[in-house]
Structures are given as structure tokens and as C-alpha cells.
Amino acid sequence: MTVDDLLQVLLIASDDSDRVFRHRDLAEWPEGGLELFTQLGLLRRESGGLMAECDTCTEPPLESVVVIEGADGLSRMFIHCPEAMRVEVEPEMCECWEVDPDGFARSIATTLDLKTTPKAILSNRLWRLGRMPYGGKTRKVLLAMGLHLPDAGAIARHIGPKGRSIVLVPSIVPDDQVWPDVVPAVIALDQIASMEKGALLIDGKAFMDMVAEADEDKDRKSILPVDPDIKKEIVGRMVTRAIDRRELDELCIRARKSTTSYRGAAEMLTKKLGRPISKDRVSRAFEREGGFDSVMASPPKKGVS
């Protein structure tokens, strides 16, 4: 497991409020991973008291730790095991870790270079991270966790109307039916976040691309205005964006077919086009055309250089 893999694990765990990392989980993490993500504010010690599991059982449950002082004055730790009865455990086995939701919000806001301090709207579920420039104006950026859970509708009602907000989620994008009003741009962090030299990074170009695509989707689903001039302007803008995206999709596919990886294709296009193209942008081009295997098996299209 690499630190990038561990970041993905933590992003998935952020949408699961009950996820606790135990001693045996940490054994699979890369060296220094616990310290790194604790320093970044993404992890904290679990607050439920001393808990441990039996290291000899196949699927042991977490058990409460009992501390017993011996005749020598030294403290020893024990848990009850259904199979082995009383089992002694080491202090490091009693530490459990969980995602720190507030720390996560602060880390994402810092990475996006938002100037305001994140504010919790709903504890451990929804934060206002700040505002970012977009299209000559600014848009509110929020972080939401657990939007796939049964109470997601109650969380969504705090986002704001008209779909102008940009909502970041750790990994699970909710169904459109969650939103009481216009669906906002919802961006999954596991698609744009990565680690590099011990720092959390967000692919800014991929982020903006995904916001633009979400806005296009919102435009397509919305009812066009009655005013013919406004309608013509909106339709023209949508057509132009669609053509630009199709052409870039084709370039991404052609580049990937001539290289050995999405990253290699992204680097090639970045040099050719003079603007950043991310590996995720290349990957999404394949997804829109039916998937990697389907595209690679199809003959090349003509007309795009």
C-alpha cells in the first residue's frame, strides 16, 4: 500500500462515520502513513476509550480493555476473548484511529487555498469551506460527508438553492433525488486528490473540468427560458462547450492509445496543448465512450488532429 492508496482508504472512510482503524489495519499501512495523515489533520485517535482485539482470532471483535496492576506495581492490559478467554494485549494494540472530520475540512480548504476558516454547518457532516473565483464571480464551496445515508435529504437542505454551490464529497456522489432544488456541482475528492512528497494535492484543472461538466449537465436538465434571445445564448454556449469537450475527449483517447498509461497521455497533451491535462481527465474521456476496453478495441476516428 502506498500513501496514495491510504488517502483513498481515508476518503472512503470519511463517508462512513463508524469506520475505525484497528491495530491490524495499521499494520498494512505504509511506513510513516499514520504520522503523516495525523499531521495533516485527517486522522485522530478514536474517542471511545481503550479497545483492542485478539491477535490470534480470525475476525475478532473490538473488546474493552481492562487494566490490572500486578504485584510488581506494573500495569498490564487484558481483553476478553470468546475463544481464548482472557488475553493480554500490548499498549499499541489498544489504540484505534478514525477520520477527523473537522481536520479533513481544514486540510481541504488549505489545499484549495481558500482564505476563510471552514465553518461547520452540521457537526461532522457539512462545512462551509469558503468561496472561490469562477467565471468572473465567486461560488460557495462546501464539504459534505455521508450524503448516501438515509438522512442525506436533511443535509442537502442546508446547501442552498439554485445549484450555485460547489459541493465536495469524499467519495460517494449522492443520487440527484437527494437535492430539494437544482442539483449543484458535486465533486468526489477521490477523483481529484492525491499525495505528493507528503503533501495533499488537488488537481485544479480536473476540478474545474468536473465543475464545468456538472454545470453543463444542470443546463441540460433545466427548462430553457422563454425569452428567445436568452434561450439562443444558452443553447449556443452549451453547444460550444459540448464540441470543445468532444474534441478534447478524442485527443485524450488518441494520446492514450499512443502511450502506455493515462498519466503518460496526460503529460503528452499538457506539452502539446500548453495547458494542464490530468490523468483523470483522460480517464473520463474513456468512460464517456463506453470504457477503456471498448475504446481500445474500436478503430480510430478520423477528423481530429
Side-chain angles (χ1 to χ4, degrees), residues 253 257 286 289-300:
I253 291 170
K257 285 185 174 181
F286 278 82
E289 293 297 324
F292 179 82
D293 293 338
S294 174
V295 174
M296 295 301 281
S298 64

Side-chain angles (χ1 to χ4, degrees), residues 65-70 72-78 86 88-89:
V65 175
V66 177
V67 181
I68 300 176
E69 186 173 334
D72 54 3
L74 299 178
S75 296
R76 300 169 66 187
M77 298 180 173
F78 297 88
R86 192 172 73 168
E88 185 171 5
V89 294

Side-chain angles (χ1 to χ4, degrees), residues 92-150:
E92 62 268 20
M93 297 173 62
C94 304
E95 291 187 342
C96 297
W97 299 81
E98 63 185 2
V99 168
D100 183 345
D102 290 322
F104 209 105
R106 289 191 296 270
S107 185
I108 296 299
T110 299
T111 303
L112 288 173
D113 198 27
L114 302 179
K115 304 305 181 183
T116 56
T117 301
K119 180 180 179 181
I121 301 173
L122 296 171
S123 180
N124 292 335
R125 300 295 298 278
L126 181 65
W127 297 260
R128 184 182 297 110
L129 300 184
R131 302 188 71 89
M132 66 181 301
Y134 188 90
K137 299 180 180 179
T138 63
R139 291 175 69 168
K140 184 167 60 176
V141 182
L142 301 104
L143 171 66
M145 293 183 178
L147 283 183
H148 63 293
L149 299 175

